[in-house]
Amino acid sequence: MGRADKQEDPDVARPGRWQRYIDAAVAGPAPAGGSVLPESAFDTPGPAPGTPGSAPGTPGSAPAVARARARTDRRAEHRARLRDRYSAATATATATAPVRSGPGRSGSGRSGAAVRRTDLRLVPAALLVWATAAAAGWLDPAALAALCSVLLATSGALLFRAAEQTRRRDNSPKSSGHGRTAPRSLLATAAVALLLSTVAGAHSAVASAQRHAADMAGAVAARTAVVAELVVSGAPRRLQTPGRSGLADRWAVPATLLAINFDSRRVRAAASLLVMGGPEWEHATPGQRIRTTGKLKPAGPGQTEAAVLSASSAPRTQQVPGSLQQGARSLREGLASAAGHFGGDARGLLPGMVTGDTSRLDPQLDIAMKTVGMTHLTAVSGANCSLILGALLLGARSLRLGRVAAAVVCLAGLGMFVLMVGPDASVLRAALMGAIGLVSLAGGRSGRGLSFLCLAIIGLLLADPALSTSFGFLLSVLATLGIVVAGRPIMTWLPRAVPPWAAAGLAVPLSAQTFCGPVIVLLQPQFSSYAFAANVAAAALVAPVTLLGTAAVPLVPLAPGLAAVPLAVAAAFAAGVAGIARFFAGLPGAVLPWPEGLFGMTTMVMFSAAVLTSVWLVLHPATVVTLAVAAHARTVAVLARRQAGQRRRRGPSAPGRRGLAHRSGRGTLRVCKQTSGRKLQWLLPRPNAPRPLRRGPPPGAM
């Protein structure tokens, strides 16, 4: 009996293999999210009492039963201790897990909350709405009506199918509550996408009907000289190429036609026009009612305008715009006049970076900025609105305002900025995207950038289907898509030593450049070699120019002396931006030719993918080495299997060997060929190896 006790004690005191595995799991880091192990994980496996391996002696004897009860109690205590240790470790790991502040970074810790998956439900709706709105430029009203009918019928059928599945699921007694969620959600999403496309098609059909009206279409087809009454709907844009009239200074002004007079009759037609005029059209203001003369010409394929009006006279104002628009124009002119006191490039670049006014920009600087891909800095884009919103949000939160109050303040400030700059289509687009992101942040739903982008696309296209064929709108969407999709992963590639603001400064221009590059090649078949470097170098100077310049705009008419200080600082930073543009534009190879058309776009897509891949490879050397070693091992294994198969097919008596032979101790592979058997490893002949000299007959020999 004593010997049996001596054999029992070591088995009870030392835990088994499963117990050691549980102890190691508990001692290590707890799983993220506070997951709980199953109850059976705390059980210590062992022989049941009364089995032959439970204890020596008779199974039914009293000492065996007592030892079995003691062993059962010890196991229960062991399970309780393991459960307590695991619960404490899980709570500690959840409480001390570092929360990711700002944009996500690799190795900076994981958030205790679950990471949101990318929501793709709005992507089909955005693509269908965009395609339907773009089709309006090529389809006539009858074809658009047929397309809208098909889309509406398909949407109704999908909605009916989704409702039928819901009814069957609710009436089924065996439904578990989650069996048909995914199919029903997919059908509903597709139905909503088709319904939104129908709305976009109906809006486009109205504009197409106006464009194909009998009187309007006849006047455009005959290229009739008309007297037009119109309202300016956008800011004038300078054209780079002279027209047939020989005017070097030509301007394009978007307008809305009210009425036209031709052939001794007056026709009222509400249609969009594009006015081409001389330098007198430079000062046209959105909202201004104008009377002018000219010839109507057909619009180009894919354009949403009903016609192009080649103005033959200066515009004559019939009605001035409202007080708000006049006040905004006076503010812009005041900023341009105040910036005129500074010398150098800041004189024309400062108003361009703040309000988008490039009328005083130096032509050489304009060319340099186009060369290095910095023209987006002289146009009010989403970056300007993001900076304004960020500054307002930071100020509101510093004043301890609530989330809703801060959102109201930011939206009011953004509306004033839009009025000051001018309600152009690009400005409204940028403001809407920024406002959607702010509303989502105020609602506690931040982090779904792709959903917000799709929502902005749908809203803008439903309001103005003409944006579907605008390259500016496409570039804005691609830049935002690149930042949303690739910006955060690029930031996670960088080492921990790089601060978040520096990582964002590198990731944002790289992602935007790679996504916009294929479309830029279609517009301008060339490659800017230093675009990324120039934008990264100027990134730190853009924010002071935008914020200080915007803050000084209302101070210029009220307190010119007080406005001189922020304007001087903003002008210094603007001069730095101009210096960066001129420096990189003057480097050799700043602009390289690139193929045109679809082939050029395809090659640029491949080049952008290669750039992102190269960046990943450079920033992950250890992973690259591991993948290379694994690929090498996989290649050797595949070749070895092929060689073994060839040997089996030839049989064991086949002399020699072929293929790749491993040379032990040297770490290389030698190519072997079939020989006579005397020398198995026979290298292939080298073409450049020295050949043996041929003996010729001695001199005088016959």
Side-chain angles (χ1 to χ4, degrees):
M1 186 67 64
R3 184 177 180 181
D5 293 338
K6 290 180 181 180
Q7 294 179 357
E8 176 67 16
D9 292 338
D11 295 336
V12 178
R14 185 177 63 181
R17 182 179 301 176
W18 180 244
Q19 295 178 9
R20 292 196 299 270
Y21 172 76
I22 296 176
D23 293 339
V26 173
S35 60
V36 181
L37 290 176
E39 188 70 21
S40 60
F42 300 100
D43 294 337
T44 304
T51 61
S54 61
T58 306
S61 60
V65 175
R67 285 193 298 271
R69 290 180 178 176
R71 186 164 54 251
T72 303
D73 296 338
R74 285 193 296 269
R75 288 175 179 173
E77 294 176 1
H78 185 63
R79 285 199 305 268
R81 288 195 303 269
L82 287 179
R83 189 181 297 108
D84 296 339
R85 290 170 58 188
Y86 184 81
S87 302
T90 303
T92 304
T94 305
T96 59
V99 181
R100 186 176 299 174
S101 59
R105 297 293 306 282
S106 176
S108 60
R110 295 181 180 273
S111 174
V115 180
R116 288 186 184 273
R117 294 181 299 176
T118 303
D119 193 354
L120 302 176
R121 289 176 294 179
L122 290 177
V123 174
L127 294 178
L128 283 175
V129 170
W130 199 330
T132 306
W138 285 272
L139 299 179
D140 55 4
L144 275 176
L147 177 62
C148 292
S149 301
V150 172
L151 293 176
L152 185 60
T154 308
S155 175
L158 291 178
L159 285 176
F160 177 78
R161 182 64 181 275
E164 186 69 17
Q165 287 186 359
T166 304
R167 185 182 62 80
R168 291 179 180 177
R169 173 181 170 274
D170 294 339
N171 295 335
S172 176
K174 299 182 180 180
S175 61
S176 59
H178 301 281
R180 289 292 182 179
T181 302
R184 188 177 68 252
S185 177
L186 181 62
L187 291 176
T189 302
V192 171
L194 292 174
L195 187 60
L196 292 174
S197 302
T198 305
V199 176
H203 193 176
S204 301
V206 174
S208 179
Q210 296 174 354
R211 184 169 62 250
H212 289 82
D215 296 334
M216 187 68 185
V220 172
R223 299 177 181 266
T224 308
V226 299
V227 178
E229 297 179 5
L230 46 88
V231 177
V232 179
S233 58
R237 177 172 53 89
R238 185 192 296 270
L239 299 178
Q240 301 297 329
T241 58
R244 295 182 179 179
S245 60
L247 291 176
D249 191 7
R250 299 174 64 243
W251 293 80
V253 182
T256 301
L257 181 64
L258 299 179
I260 54 175
N261 299 325
F262 67 98
D263 294 341
S264 302
R265 56 178 177 152
R266 180 181 178 86
V267 177
R268 294 186 177 274
S272 59
L273 289 180
L274 185 64
V275 182
M276 300 290 187
E280 60 273 3
W281 288 86
E282 176 184 359
H283 304 287
T285 307
Q288 183 180 8
R289 184 168 180 174
I290 292 177
R291 183 183 179 93
T292 186
T293 60
K295 287 186 177 182
L296 291 175
K297 299 179 181 179
Q303 292 184 356
T304 56
E305 290 83 6
V308 176
L309 178 63
S310 181
S312 58
S313 63
R316 189 174 64 181
T317 303
Q318 289 185 329
Q319 183 180 354
V320 297
S323 57
L324 290 177
Q325 296 177 349
Q326 289 183 353
R329 181 177 180 179
S330 63
L331 288 177
R332 294 194 298 270
E333 293 178 351
L335 176 63
S337 301
H341 295 87
F342 303 102
D345 295 329
R347 176 184 179 183
L349 186 58
L350 179 59
M353 295 184 66
V354 176
T355 61
D357 183 9
T358 58
S359 58
R360 303 186 183 186
L361 187 64
D362 185 13
Q364 298 297 328
L365 179 60
D366 189 17
I367 295 175
M369 297 187 72
K370 290 180 179 179
T371 301
V372 295
M374 296 175 62
T375 52
H376 61 92
L377 298 179
T378 58
V380 179
S381 59
N384 301 73
C385 296
S386 299
L387 290 172
I388 299 299
L389 284 173
L392 292 174
L393 182 61
L394 182 61
R397 300 299 290 177
S398 300
L399 297 176
R400 303 290 184 178
L401 296 180
R403 181 176 294 177
V404 177
V408 172
V409 171
C410 293
L411 290 177
L414 181 62
M416 295 176 63
F417 176 75
V418 170
L419 289 177
M420 179 194 71
V421 174
D424 198 10
S426 60
V427 179
L428 293 176
R429 176 178 67 244
L432 179 59
M433 290 186 179
I436 289 178
L438 181 65
V439 170
S440 64
L441 182 62
R445 302 299 299 274
S446 60
R448 294 187 175 181
L450 185 59
S451 300
F452 302 147
L453 177 61
C454 294
L455 187 60
I457 292 173
I458 294 172
L460 288 170
L461 291 177
L462 291 180
D464 187 7
L467 293 176
S468 59
T469 56
S470 172
F471 275 99
F473 178 70
L474 178 59
L475 289 174
S476 177
V477 170
L478 288 177
T480 309
L481 180 64
I483 295 172
V484 169
V485 174
R488 189 176 296 272
I490 293 176
M491 291 182 64
T492 60
W493 297 349
L494 298 175
R496 301 182 185 180
V498 181
W501 59 269
L506 293 173
V508 169
L510 179 59
S511 57
Q513 188 74 21
T514 52
F515 275 69
C516 295
V519 179
I520 294 177
V521 167
L522 292 178
L523 297 175
Q524 195 172 8
Q526 65 183 22
F527 175 69
S528 300
S529 305
Y530 308 108
F532 173 69
N535 282 276
V536 171
L541 307 179
V542 175
V545 176
T546 302
L547 297 178
L548 294 176
T550 304
V553 168
L555 297 178
V556 170
L558 300 178
L562 186 60
V565 177
L567 280 179
V569 179
F573 284 102
V577 173
I580 291 173
R582 291 184 182 274
F583 170 76
F584 283 100
L587 294 178
V591 178
L592 300 177
W594 200 268
E596 300 181 0
L598 182 61
F599 177 73
M601 184 184 67
T602 305
T603 53
M604 181 55 70
V605 170
M606 298 172 62
F607 178 75
S608 301
V611 168
L612 291 179
T613 305
S614 302
V615 171
W616 187 88
L617 293 176
V618 170
L619 295 176
H620 297 79
T623 307
V624 171
V625 172
T626 304
L627 293 177
V629 172
H632 176 267
R634 180 68 176 175
T635 304
V636 171
V638 171
L639 294 176
R641 285 197 299 269
R642 291 186 58 184
Q643 186 175 7
Q646 292 177 0
R647 289 180 178 178
R648 287 193 299 269
R649 287 192 298 269
R650 289 197 304 264
S653 61
R657 53 182 176 178
R658 301 174 63 91
L660 296 177
H662 180 66
R663 304 175 64 185
S664 60
R666 299 189 182 184
T668 59
L669 295 176
R670 170 178 289 182
V671 181
C672 297
K673 65 178 183 179
Q674 189 78 22
T675 63
S676 60
R678 293 184 302 167
K679 195 172 183 180
L680 297 181
Q681 291 186 347
W682 186 267
L683 289 175
L684 293 175
R686 294 178 295 176
N688 298 326
R691 298 182 179 180
L693 297 177
R694 297 181 58 185
R695 286 188 178 183
M702 294 302 294

